Amino acid sequence: MITLASDFGTPYPAAMRGVICQRTDARIEDIAHDFPRQNVRTAAFWLTQTLPYFPPAVHCVVVDPGVGTDRDAVVVRADDHALVAPDNGVVLPAARELADTVEVFTWAYDDPASSTFHGRDVFAPAAAAVHDAGVDALGDLDRTTPTDDYADLRFPTAETDDDGATGEVLVVDGFGNVVTNIPGSVLEGRFGDTVRVDGESVPVRRAYAALDPGERLVTVGSHGNVELAVNRGRGDEAFGVGVGDPVSLSL
């Protein structure tokens, strides 16, 4: 299997699929092509939430603000998965979710036909080649070179203590739910109570519908982190926060 993920929208991913189909008979699955444009960190977060649910595969990810520059292409081996991407850290958090230890290789590519569409001309052919060679053979391919010099990406860690936590907004999903980096464990034993978010009292509930429509709540999302939400509304608007903003939680 080869999975595809990008910020391309449509129709660009179709060209990538076509290139892959010319080179291999791999099954192709789309993860998403509507990641926020050129937002490496947001794409990286959602990849951590999706790729671990796939069987062994080659994951081709293209969110590439540096397209056309001298940034490298990399292939990351994570157990029996391989992740093909630009060298900007976009796949490193997901790779660490897939394996305790990861190996990074640079991928040598020929001059692409376009300096603006490496998804089609560089990464799709690389994904097909890695798929056909097999993940175990990565170190033996002519185009791969092991490297310790690569762009890394790690999410910031929240500060927690007995009185609460201080963190930041990692992403806002399509529903407007605000995903923070505060671990959900800080709310253990507090469902049904209230906490203070940036100084304002907010109920803690397990489900959005536990409150009336339009009511704000604090919960733990499927990602395991503290989430600020509104039943049938947008948490980002109700709490007045966006990606990267600080969040203070007082118990």
Side-chain angles (χ1 to χ4, degrees):
M1 182 187 300
I2 294 175
T3 73
L4 299 178
S6 75
D7 58 354
F8 290 161
T10 185
Y12 296 111
M16 296 175 62
R17 294 174 67 93
V19 168
I20 292 170
C21 288
Q22 288 188 41
R23 289 164 167 77
T24 179
D25 59 359
R27 172 183 169 187
I28 304 173
E29 294 289 344
D30 292 292
I31 303 294
H33 295 292
D34 58 354
F35 290 140
R37 299 291 167 83
Q38 302 183 345
N39 191 321
V40 172
R41 193 172 85 155
T42 295
F45 175 82
W46 290 120
L47 292 170
T48 68
Q49 302 302 305
T50 53
L51 297 192
Y53 294 96
F54 277 83
V58 175
H59 307 287
C60 182
V61 178
V62 190
V63 178
D64 191 14
V67 62
T69 69
D70 60 357
R71 64 93 185 88
D72 287 330
V74 295
V75 183
V76 182
R77 178 159 56 193
D79 285 344
D80 44 10
H81 294 258
L83 301 92
V84 179
D87 184 21
N88 58 21
V90 66
V91 294
L92 267 299
R96 295 190 184 100
E97 291 290 323
L98 294 168
D100 293 333
T101 302
V102 302
E103 300 171 85
V104 181
F105 303 84
T106 57
W107 179 268
Y109 56 89
D110 302 324
D111 289 339
S114 169
S115 61
T116 63
F117 195 4
H118 285 191
R120 178 194 67 193
D121 298 339
V122 175
F123 298 108
V130 170
H131 174 271
D132 281 359
V135 175
D136 290 341
L138 270 179
D140 301 323
L141 299 180
D142 291 340
R143 290 182 181 268
T144 57
T145 303
T147 182
D148 293 323
D149 182 18
Y150 55 87
D152 202 353
L153 189 158
R154 295 179 185 269
F155 300 118
T157 301
E159 297 181 3
T160 63
D161 56 35
D162 292 340
D163 297 323
T166 301
E168 68 176 67
V169 178
L170 290 179
V171 299
V172 176
D173 71 14
F175 293 97
N177 300 318
V178 177
V179 181
T180 76
N181 65 339
I182 300 173
S185 58
V186 303
L187 297 179
E188 185 175 350
R190 296 184 179 273
F191 289 96
D193 296 336
T194 62
V195 296
R196 299 185 74 82
V197 178
D198 295 335
E200 298 184 5
S201 183
V202 183
V204 181
R205 300 292 187 268
R206 293 189 183 277
Y208 308 120
L211 296 170
D212 292 335
E215 291 293 317
R216 302 193 306 173
L217 68 145
V218 176
T219 190
V220 178
S222 61
H223 34 72
N225 293 353
V226 170
E227 185 178 288
L228 311 181
V230 173
N231 182 22
R232 304 189 190 183
R234 293 194 62 90
D236 56 341
E237 295 176 357
F239 286 89
V241 293
V243 174
D245 286 345
V247 173
S248 175
L249 196 69
S250 300
L251 304 179

